[in-house]
Amino acid sequence: MAHLTRRGFVGSAALLAAPAIVRPAFAADTVKLGCLFSSSGTMANIEGRLNHVVRMAADEINGRGGVNGRRIEVLTSDPASDWPLYAQIGRQMLQQEKVAALFGCWTSVSRKSVLPVVEQNDGLLFYPLHFEGDENSKNVVYVNSPPASSVLPAVDYLMGPDGVGAKRFFMIGSDYVWPRTINKQLKGYWKSKGIPESAWREEYVPFGFSNFQTLVNQVRSFASQPGGQPIVVLTVVGSSIPDFLREFANQGIAATDVPILGLDMVEADLEGLDTAKLVGHLNCWAYLQAAKGEKNKAFLADWAAYVKTKSVPFSADTVIDPMVSAYDSVHLWALAAAKAGSFAVPEVRKAFAGLSFADPSGYTLTMTGENNYVSRGVFIGSVNERRGFDVLWQSPDAPKPVPFSPYG
């Protein structure tokens, strides 16, 4: 496996004009896949895990003989949580390394940076995160859920009798496209329900923001005002999530008083926190580690074994939704390439229609010829004392994704 570091990228970029590039001796027998996941910067702790799970999926496929008679070779990289660098490395992987597909990005701003690169080169980017929707490119496979399939069911749950009867909403997000678009859609949704604008407030912080004392004080003040049950809709990302949770707990605000719906919050964000003070706060994803079923048991065991045998620098006991979505992505690509009998992007793309894959969540993922979105299930989870999430609710089936929100 090759790895492209920032330093390595700068060096190899200088070689782009060279007449030849040194290839591995076994290149003729392999097909290359490229990873665009950061292992440094504010996204490192959560995004870095996805490099390893892509390799795990590739190893599984290679163990069965590969795809179309070729073994998969995975190229990894470290865009260092630097959004333009995702695009630069993605271009290098497509043009110089000739990867058959890219797997990458966590934040929507990194995906938006890579989008023109894959479109100009007719490449394929498998994007494993749930996101704001309102986008549809033939060059991106949206493996996770748009808001209609994830965020709105969670907000409905909190507003309903099974939740807390939420009436007021304090939105706190990192300052970029995903939080702002999600919040715009939520405000449109609440307006459609007859909820007045006075019932919500929104605040944004820079990437990597860590001092939430003032903002949590503002939440406390908002919660003390009349008008009904308040909740926090949290769309900060990366290292800001555990920092926010820590300050919320330090100020003694319990989920029974003001529950947090963390839309990017995963099991890995709870590592190192005293979750006894955070019990009851919520998230929503297409996978939770606590999902029932033999598929999930097998996946958790496989990941634990992979961490041990490959000396992966992340917990063997923690699995998060984007890891599963990245794992699904490699298998969906392999199924499409095998169906097409080709690695050429136009042929692989044609083969998406009718694909299905039983993933660890317990749901069967499906694709249609309508777009590159994937149907998958939805979970709402609640923080427990074991630094995980209990499943509070899950969808009865895998809803058809709605790419463009009617509330935006």
Side-chain angles (χ1 to χ4, degrees), residues 93-109:
M93 285 187 168
L94 289 170
Q95 295 181 351
Q96 181 177 336
E97 301 294 340
K98 306 296 183 185
V99 298
L102 294 168
F103 299 80
C105 307
W106 184 292
T107 66
S108 286
V109 66

Side-chain angles (χ1 to χ4, degrees), residues 22-179:
V22 176
R23 304 294 183 193
F26 49 87
D29 301 320
T30 64
V31 56
K32 293 182 180 180
L33 302 180
C35 287
L36 296 173
F37 297 117
S38 289
S39 53
S40 63
T42 189
M43 305 305 297
N45 182 47
I46 48 178
E47 198 171 318
R49 301 163 199 253
L50 276 56
N51 285 307
H52 300 280
V53 81
V54 166
R55 277 188 275 165
M56 187 178 94
D59 286 352
E60 287 181 3
I61 295 166
N62 286 337
R64 298 198 294 262
V67 183
N68 298 335
R70 294 194 187 184
R71 291 174 56 80
I72 298 171
E73 180 188 1
V74 176
L75 308 184
T76 60
S77 63
D78 180 15
S81 307
D82 179 342
W83 320 133
L85 199 56
Y86 286 77
Q88 294 176 40
I89 296 176
R91 182 177 295 107
Q92 180 193 357
M93 285 187 168
L94 289 170
Q95 295 181 351
Q96 181 177 336
E97 301 294 340
K98 306 296 183 185
V99 298
L102 294 168
F103 299 80
C105 307
W106 184 292
T107 66
S108 286
V109 66
S110 59
R111 186 194 72 256
K112 293 284 190 185
S113 297
V114 176
L115 181 60
V117 173
V118 291
E119 290 184 335
Q120 290 161 9
N121 291 276
D122 199 19
L124 272 180
L125 170 67
F126 285 75
Y127 179 60
L129 268 291
H130 69 187
F131 74 124
E132 71 279 4
D134 290 353
E135 182 182 298
N136 188 13
S137 170
K138 69 177 185 178
N139 299 101
V140 179
V141 181
Y142 304 92
V143 183
N144 218 306
S145 306
S149 303
S150 58
V151 176
L152 294 188
V155 170
D156 273 338
Y157 178 87
L158 278 167
M159 292 171 65
D162 293 333
V164 295
K167 303 292 186 186
R168 297 185 300 131
F169 312 92
F170 199 119
M171 298 170 277
I172 302 175
S174 297
D175 193 5
Y176 75 108
V177 60
W178 177 65

